[in-house]
Amino acid sequence: CFAFVLNDRIEIGFNFRFGSYTTDKFSVNENGVLRLGNIPIESSYNAGSFSSYFYSNNTPKISAYASYTSTGPGGYVKYKVVGSAPNRTLVVEYRLENPITNLFQIQLNETSNKITFVYNYNHTNQYQNYSYMIGIGDSISSVVVNTTADTAIYCTNGHSNSYYNLLPQHKYYEFSPNF
């Protein structure tokens, strides 16, 4: 059973390691961004940005779809933990409806500390007149996904000014964040 959540600090149910951070809490906003740790994430879509101005905000951050969006009237952000120790996975599921419908998950694995983004987006007009960022990062470095070329951009200075307009369709991206 999924539980609904927005902006609150939620117990993961296990310790998760992200680079030099280890935490058992997370928070999310309706702009497609998850933040690890005790401090709640900001509600702005800039919370997930890896641009030079915002890269150190809301870290460590996991941005499956950082954009100016919202859940809309039929959308949601919910979570559940599946599996049993030591092989549990936190699954955070988003259904965003504004400006377009997009369904995706952020999955955090207990043992491997891998992060997986799973997209179940099926829209005939995948190019939109707005941009978004997909990636993970802390205050020192980040990895941003170029969805047009299906490549990753690693930034040792912590930021990237790369925004994309091609939404992932029926794909997944997996990260092992040991920066």
Side-chain angles (χ1 to χ4, degrees):
C1 176
F2 277 102
F4 290 92
V5 60
L6 272 181
N7 296 346
D8 290 332
R9 290 178 313 227
I10 305 295
E11 296 282 333
I12 295 173
F14 55 85
N15 285 331
F16 186 78
R17 186 168 177 260
F18 181 93
S20 62
Y21 299 95
T22 300
T23 186
D24 63 348
K25 294 179 183 60
F26 74 98
S27 59
V28 296
N29 66 20
E30 65 178 345
N31 302 109
V33 187
L34 181 147
R35 180 181 192 177
L36 295 170
N38 291 321
I39 301 170
I41 192 160
E42 296 173 9
S43 60
S44 166
Y45 75 95
N46 288 326
S49 175
F50 295 97
S51 68
S52 57
Y53 183 75
F54 296 106
Y55 79 90
S56 63
N57 294 359
N58 294 293
T59 58
K61 63 181 142 194
I62 300 170
S63 299
Y65 182 78
S67 183
Y68 183 70
T69 187
S70 68
T71 54
Y76 55 79
V77 180
K78 54 188 181 178
Y79 77 98
K80 68 179 175 180
V81 175
V82 297
S84 57
N87 296 306
R88 294 174 286 193
T89 300
L90 170 68
V91 178
V92 179
E93 185 170 286
Y94 288 80
R95 179 180 170 87
L96 304 178
E97 293 194 338
N98 185 17
I100 59 170
T101 300
N102 196 357
L103 181 65
F104 59 91
Q105 294 180 344
I106 298 173
Q107 301 176 0
L108 306 181
N109 183 274
E110 176 180 22
T111 303
S112 68
N113 293 299
K114 286 185 179 177
I115 300 167
T116 306
F117 299 160
V118 179
Y119 298 91
N120 188 19
Y121 175 75
N122 192 13
H123 195 276
T124 56
N125 182 9
Q126 59 188 333
Y127 292 95
Q128 302 300 317
N129 59 0
Y130 65 95
S131 58
Y132 62 92
M133 294 190 102
I134 294 175
I136 61 172
D138 60 16
S139 60
I140 299 169
S141 59
S142 62
V143 177
V144 177
V145 175
N146 175 337
T147 58
T148 305
D150 276 335
T151 58
I153 302 164
Y154 179 70
C155 305
T156 57
N157 61 355
H159 69 274
S160 168
N161 290 316
S162 301
Y163 290 86
Y164 299 98
N165 296 95
L166 178 63
L167 299 172
Q169 293 193 52
H170 306 289
K171 290 187 178 185
Y172 74 94
Y173 297 106
E174 190 171 78
F175 304 89
S176 296
N178 293 318
F179 300 123

